[in-house]
Amino acid sequence: MNSRAKDTVQGTTWDGLAVLCERQRLRIVEALSNGERCAAELSATLGIRQNTLSHHIKVLRDYELIRVRRDPDDQRWLYYSINDAKLRRLGHTLMRLADNARSAEQTVERPKAATT
């Protein structure tokens, strides 16, 4: 997903929400919410094959929802963590949408009940 998409909601791209709508990616983000993990640990914990995990990690990284760091002692090992700033921006967008909906609901004139 291109993080520079033109279609935005209050400055946040729809792409980020679309990325998180996929079940496996949401499970990965949820697992990472408990701290940094390597791919092998994520694969075992979530019951996802390595190649499937790799695909979802790439999508999450492309949208910058997760960060990656190499082990300084063994460059073959990669560790993933949540990019909390990016995730918070998406959360704020959802909150704005909810707030707008609540405001709109409160300003809608309701028909008065008929009295007999």
Side-chain angles (χ1 to χ4, degrees), residues 5-17 63 89-98 100:
K6 300 285 186 218
D7 193 13
T8 63
V9 175
Q10 305 267 336
T12 301
T13 65
W14 283 105
D15 289 344
L17 298 174
Y63 192 70
R89 281 194 298 274
L90 291 176
H92 288 299
T93 297
L94 291 173
M95 291 303 295
R96 276 194 304 264
L97 291 172
N100 290 347

Side-chain angles (χ1 to χ4, degrees), residues 3-64:
S3 64
R4 295 185 180 113
K6 300 285 186 218
D7 193 13
T8 63
V9 175
Q10 305 267 336
T12 301
T13 65
W14 283 105
D15 289 344
L17 298 174
V19 165
L20 289 176
C21 283
E22 204 289 325
R23 183 176 180 267
Q24 297 294 6
R25 290 193 284 266
L26 193 53
R27 291 179 66 219
I28 292 165
V29 169
E30 183 179 23
L32 293 174
S33 72
N34 295 313
E36 184 179 73
R37 303 278 187 270
C38 68
E41 188 177 357
L42 283 169
S43 180
T45 300
L46 299 173
I48 300 173
R49 293 186 327 221
Q50 284 277 354
N51 62 337
T52 302
L53 179 68
S54 238
H55 165 74
H56 292 300
I57 289 286
K58 180 184 180 338
V59 173
L60 290 164
R61 284 184 65 191
D62 286 351
Y63 192 70
E64 300 172 353

